[in-house]
Amino acid sequence: MRLDKWLWAARFFKTRALATEAVNGGKVHLHGQRTKPGKEVKEGTRLRIHKGSLEWNITVEVLPKQRRPAKEAVTFYSESEESINAREKVIAEEKAIRAAMPVPTDHRPIKKERRQIHRFKRIEK
């Protein structure tokens, strides 16, 4: 089975085109080396997949005939414990950073908010 087709079937990417783009961009490594989208994938193949700030270190377990639901797609591969822990750590860090950021408002300040801003800046008007 082609690498890009397997990545799509295992639901790492929404389309085969995105999977192909990721492989060509060096985001997917096969046995630790860059590869091409048409490379054959077999059971036991080791893959390292980068997507955003997340990374998966997986071993291919099943070569599906077609794309399946996400609950079934998880059974197509096995992931190492270190990979799971590292990914959960990155997710927790990103969540903490997002929680510390101020929430942007989607509107211009109303009169009450403008007064609060002026008081905060100590501008008398």
Side-chain angles (χ1 to χ4, degrees):
M1 176 177 248
R2 290 175 54 104
L3 176 60
D4 60 344
K5 191 171 182 178
W6 187 88
L7 290 167
W8 169 75
R11 296 193 171 258
F12 281 100
F13 297 97
K14 197 169 189 172
T15 64
R16 278 187 64 188
L18 289 174
T20 301
E21 190 177 314
V23 174
N24 285 332
K27 303 294 183 190
V28 178
H29 291 144
L30 185 113
H31 296 296
Q33 296 192 0
R34 286 184 70 161
T35 186
K36 294 183 179 180
K39 186 74 174 176
E40 287 294 315
V41 176
K42 299 176 180 146
E43 293 176 2
T45 302
R46 289 181 294 115
L47 296 173
R48 189 173 75 220
I49 304 164
H50 290 276
K51 192 172 176 188
S53 61
L54 303 177
E55 180 179 333
W56 288 264
N57 288 319
I58 61 169
T59 304
V60 175
E61 299 290 330
V62 177
L63 300 175
K65 300 226 185 283
Q66 60 188 19
R67 186 172 168 132
R68 304 296 305 156
K71 288 184 180 179
E72 290 180 40
V74 175
T75 63
F76 296 168
Y77 59 90
S78 60
E79 186 175 5
S80 66
E81 284 295 320
E82 298 86 30
S83 174
I84 293 169
N85 294 336
R87 202 163 25 86
E88 287 175 352
K89 182 180 176 186
V90 169
I91 290 169
E93 288 173 357
E94 288 178 351
K95 194 179 282 189
I97 290 170
R98 245 183 279 119
M101 290 181 133
V103 179
T105 57
D106 294 326
H107 65 280
R108 292 177 51 187
I110 58 175
K111 192 170 188 176
K112 182 179 179 183
E113 293 169 337
R114 256 195 322 277
R115 286 181 183 152
Q116 290 172 340
I117 291 169
H118 290 304
R119 271 189 227 118
F120 180 74
K121 290 184 174 181
R122 298 177 197 253
I123 297 173
E124 297 293 325
K125 287 203 176 182

